[in-house]
Coordinates of all heavy atoms in Angstrom, one line a residue:
C1 N 0.8 -1.2 0.0 CA 0.0 0.0 0.0 C 0.9 1.3 0.0 O 1.9 1.3 0.7 CB -0.9 0.0 1.2 SG -1.8 -1.5 1.5
A2 N 0.5 2.2 -0.8 CA 1.2 3.5 -0.9 C 0.3 4.6 -1.5 O -0.7 4.2 -2.2 CB 2.5 3.3 -1.7
P3 N 0.6 5.8 -1.4 CA 1.6 6.4 -0.4 C 1.1 6.3 1.0 O -0.1 6.2 1.2 CB 1.7 7.8 -0.9 CG 0.5 8.2 -1.6 CD 0.0 6.9 -2.2
H4 N 2.0 6.4 1.9 CA 1.7 6.2 3.4 C 1.6 7.6 4.0 O 2.7 8.2 4.4 CB 2.8 5.4 4.0 CG 2.4 4.9 5.4 ND1 1.1 4.9 5.9 CD2 3.2 4.4 6.4 CE1 1.1 4.5 7.1 NE2 2.4 4.2 7.5
A5 N 0.4 8.1 4.2 CA 0.3 9.5 4.8 C 0.0 9.5 6.3 O 0.4 10.4 6.9 CB -0.9 10.1 4.1
N6 N -0.6 8.4 6.8 CA -1.0 8.4 8.2 C -1.0 7.0 8.7 O -1.7 6.1 8.1 CB -2.3 9.1 8.4 CG -2.7 9.2 9.9 OD1 -3.0 8.3 10.6 ND2 -2.6 10.5 10.4
Q7 N -0.3 6.7 9.8 CA -0.1 5.3 10.3 C -1.4 4.8 10.9 O -1.5 3.5 11.1 CB 1.0 5.3 11.4 CG 0.7 6.1 12.6 CD 1.7 5.9 13.7 OE1 2.2 4.7 13.9 NE2 2.1 6.9 14.4
F8 N -2.4 5.6 11.2 CA -3.7 5.1 11.8 C -4.8 5.1 10.7 O -5.5 4.1 10.7 CB -4.1 6.0 13.0 CG -3.1 6.0 14.1 CD1 -2.4 7.2 14.4 CD2 -2.8 4.9 14.8 CE1 -1.5 7.3 15.4 CE2 -1.8 4.9 15.8 CZ -1.2 6.1 16.1
V9 N -4.9 6.1 9.9 CA -6.0 6.2 8.9 C -5.7 5.3 7.8 O -6.7 4.6 7.3 CB -6.1 7.7 8.4 CG1 -7.2 7.8 7.4 CG2 -6.4 8.6 9.6
D10 N -4.5 5.2 7.3 CA -4.2 4.4 6.1 C -4.7 2.9 6.2 O -5.3 2.4 5.3 CB -2.8 4.5 5.7 CG -2.4 5.9 5.2 OD1 -3.3 6.7 5.0 OD2 -1.2 6.2 5.0
P11 N -4.3 2.2 7.3 CA -4.7 0.8 7.4 C -6.2 0.7 7.5 O -6.8 -0.3 7.0 CB -4.0 0.4 8.8 CG -2.9 1.3 9.0 CD -3.4 2.6 8.4
T12 N -6.9 1.6 8.2 CA -8.4 1.6 8.2 C -9.0 1.7 6.9 O -9.9 1.0 6.5 CB -8.9 2.7 9.2 OG1 -8.3 2.5 10.5 CG2 -10.4 2.5 9.4
V13 N -8.5 2.7 6.1 CA -9.0 2.9 4.7 C -8.8 1.7 3.9 O -9.7 1.2 3.1 CB -8.3 4.1 4.1 CG1 -8.5 4.2 2.6 CG2 -8.7 5.4 4.8
V14 N -7.6 1.1 3.9 CA -7.3 -0.1 3.1 C -8.2 -1.3 3.6 O -8.8 -2.0 2.7 CB -5.8 -0.5 3.2 CG1 -5.6 -1.8 2.4 CG2 -5.0 0.6 2.6
T15 N -8.3 -1.5 4.9 CA -9.1 -2.6 5.4 C -10.6 -2.4 4.9 O -11.2 -3.4 4.6 CB -9.1 -2.6 6.9 OG1 -7.7 -2.7 7.3 CG2 -9.9 -3.7 7.5
K16 N -11.1 -1.2 4.9 CA -12.5 -1.0 4.5 C -12.6 -1.3 3.0 O -13.6 -1.7 2.5 CB -12.9 0.4 4.8 CG -14.3 0.8 4.3 CD -14.8 2.2 4.8 CE -16.1 2.6 4.1 NZ -17.2 1.6 4.3
A17 N -11.5 -1.0 2.2 CA -11.6 -1.1 0.7 C -11.4 -2.6 0.3 O -12.0 -2.9 -0.8 CB -10.5 -0.2 0.1
I18 N -10.7 -3.4 1.1 CA -10.5 -4.8 0.7 C -11.6 -5.7 1.2 O -11.8 -5.7 2.4 CB -9.1 -5.2 1.2 CG1 -8.0 -4.3 0.7 CG2 -8.8 -6.7 0.8 CD1 -7.8 -4.3 -0.8
P19 N -12.2 -6.5 0.3 CA -13.3 -7.4 0.8 C -12.8 -8.7 1.4 O -13.2 -9.7 1.1 CB -14.0 -7.7 -0.6 CG -12.9 -7.6 -1.6 CD -12.0 -6.5 -1.1
R20 N -11.9 -8.5 2.4 CA -11.5 -9.7 3.2 C -11.5 -9.3 4.7 O -11.1 -8.1 5.0 CB -10.1 -10.1 2.8 CG -9.9 -10.7 1.4 CD -10.0 -12.2 1.3 NE -9.0 -12.9 2.1 CZ -8.0 -13.6 1.6 NH1 -7.7 -13.5 0.3 NH2 -7.2 -14.3 2.4
T21 N -11.8 -10.2 5.6 CA -11.8 -9.9 7.0 C -10.6 -10.4 7.8 O -10.4 -10.2 9.0 CB -13.0 -10.5 7.7 OG1 -13.0 -11.9 7.5 CG2 -14.3 -9.9 7.1
D22 N -9.6 -11.0 7.0 CA -8.5 -11.6 7.7 C -7.2 -10.8 7.4 O -6.1 -11.4 7.2 CB -8.3 -13.1 7.2 CG -8.2 -13.2 5.7 OD1 -8.5 -12.3 5.0 OD2 -7.7 -14.3 5.3
I23 N -7.3 -9.5 7.4 CA -6.1 -8.7 7.1 C -5.4 -8.3 8.4 O -6.0 -7.9 9.4 CB -6.6 -7.4 6.4 CG1 -7.4 -7.7 5.1 CG2 -5.4 -6.5 6.1 CD1 -8.0 -6.5 4.4
G24 N -4.1 -8.4 8.4 CA -3.3 -8.0 9.5 C -2.1 -7.1 9.0 O -1.4 -7.6 8.1
F25 N -2.0 -5.9 9.5 CA -1.0 -5.0 9.0 C 0.3 -5.1 9.9 O 0.2 -5.4 11.1 CB -1.5 -3.6 9.0 CG -2.3 -3.2 7.8 CD1 -3.6 -3.4 7.7 CD2 -1.6 -2.7 6.6 CE1 -4.4 -3.1 6.6 CE2 -2.3 -2.3 5.5 CZ -3.7 -2.5 5.5
L26 N 1.4 -4.8 9.3 CA 2.6 -4.6 10.0 C 2.5 -3.3 10.7 O 2.1 -2.3 10.1 CB 3.9 -4.7 9.1 CG 4.5 -6.0 8.9 CD1 3.6 -6.9 8.1 CD2 5.9 -5.9 8.3
A27 N 2.8 -3.2 12.0 CA 2.7 -2.0 12.8 C 3.9 -1.8 13.6 O 4.6 -2.8 14.0 CB 1.4 -2.0 13.7
A28 N 4.3 -0.6 13.9 CA 5.4 -0.2 14.7 C 5.3 -0.8 16.1 O 4.2 -0.6 16.7 CB 5.7 1.3 14.8
A29 N 6.3 -1.5 16.6 CA 6.2 -2.1 17.9 C 6.0 -1.0 19.0 O 5.3 -1.3 20.0 CB 7.5 -2.9 18.2
S30 N 6.5 0.2 18.7 CA 6.4 1.3 19.7 C 4.9 1.7 19.8 O 4.4 2.0 20.9 CB 7.2 2.5 19.3 OG 6.8 2.9 18.0
T31 N 4.2 1.6 18.7 CA 2.7 1.9 18.7 C 2.0 0.8 19.5 O 1.1 1.1 20.3 CB 2.2 2.0 17.3 OG1 2.8 3.1 16.6 CG2 0.7 2.2 17.3
M32 N 2.4 -0.5 19.3 CA 1.7 -1.6 19.9 C 2.0 -1.6 21.4 O 1.3 -2.3 22.2 CB 2.0 -2.9 19.2 CG 1.5 -2.9 17.8 SD 1.6 -4.5 17.0 CE 0.3 -5.4 17.9
R33 N 3.0 -1.0 21.9 CA 3.3 -0.9 23.3 C 2.5 0.1 24.0 O 2.4 0.1 25.3 CB 4.8 -0.6 23.5 CG 5.7 -1.8 23.3 CD 7.1 -1.6 23.8 NE 7.8 -0.6 23.0 CZ 8.6 -0.9 22.0 NH1 8.8 -2.2 21.6 NH2 9.3 0.0 21.3
K34 N 1.8 1.0 23.3 CA 0.9 1.9 23.9 C -0.3 1.3 24.5 O -0.8 0.3 23.9 CB 0.5 3.0 22.9 CG 1.7 3.9 22.5 CD 1.3 4.9 21.5 CE 2.5 5.7 21.0 NZ 2.1 6.7 20.0
K35 N -0.8 1.8 25.6 CA -1.8 1.1 26.4 C -3.0 0.8 25.7 O -3.5 -0.4 25.6 CB -2.1 1.9 27.7 CG -3.0 1.2 28.7 CD -3.2 1.9 29.9 CE -4.1 1.2 30.9 NZ -4.3 2.0 32.2
Y36 N -3.6 1.8 25.1 CA -4.9 1.6 24.4 C -4.8 1.3 22.9 O -5.5 0.4 22.4 CB -5.8 2.9 24.7 CG -6.1 3.1 26.1 CD1 -5.5 4.2 26.8 CD2 -6.9 2.3 26.9 CE1 -5.7 4.4 28.1 CE2 -7.2 2.5 28.2 CZ -6.6 3.6 28.8 OH -6.8 3.8 30.2
I37 N -4.0 2.1 22.2 CA -3.8 1.9 20.8 C -3.2 0.5 20.6 O -3.6 -0.2 19.6 CB -2.9 3.0 20.2 CG1 -3.6 4.3 20.3 CG2 -2.6 2.7 18.7 CD1 -2.7 5.5 19.8
G38 N -2.3 0.1 21.4 CA -1.8 -1.2 21.3 C -2.8 -2.4 21.4 O -2.7 -3.3 20.7
R39 N -3.7 -2.2 22.3 CA -4.8 -3.2 22.4 C -5.6 -3.3 21.2 O -6.0 -4.4 20.7 CB -5.7 -2.9 23.6 CG -5.0 -3.1 25.0 CD -5.9 -2.7 26.1 NE -5.3 -2.8 27.4 CZ -5.8 -2.5 28.6 NH1 -7.1 -2.0 28.6 NH2 -5.2 -2.6 29.7
L40 N -6.0 -2.1 20.6 CA -6.7 -2.1 19.4 C -6.0 -2.7 18.2 O -6.6 -3.5 17.4 CB -7.1 -0.6 19.0 CG -8.0 0.1 20.0 CD1 -8.2 1.5 19.5 CD2 -9.3 -0.6 20.3
A41 N -4.7 -2.5 18.2 CA -3.8 -3.1 17.1 C -3.8 -4.6 17.2 O -3.8 -5.3 16.2 CB -2.4 -2.5 17.2
K42 N -3.7 -5.1 18.5 CA -3.7 -6.5 18.7 C -5.0 -7.2 18.3 O -5.1 -8.3 17.7 CB -3.4 -6.8 20.2 CG -1.9 -6.5 20.5 CD -1.7 -6.7 22.0 CE -0.2 -6.4 22.4 NZ 0.0 -6.5 23.8
V43 N -6.1 -6.5 18.6 CA -7.4 -7.0 18.2 C -7.5 -7.1 16.7 O -8.1 -8.1 16.1 CB -8.6 -6.1 18.7 CG1 -9.9 -6.4 18.1 CG2 -8.7 -6.2 20.2

């Protein structure tokens, strides 16, 4: 996926556009260590 403008909006936009429910994005480990955003990323 490109261009990469926003680390939170871009994955959501692509997930909505792709007709599959089994999508998992690569995400920065620093983001996933955050208390709330990290939980959402793991879900």
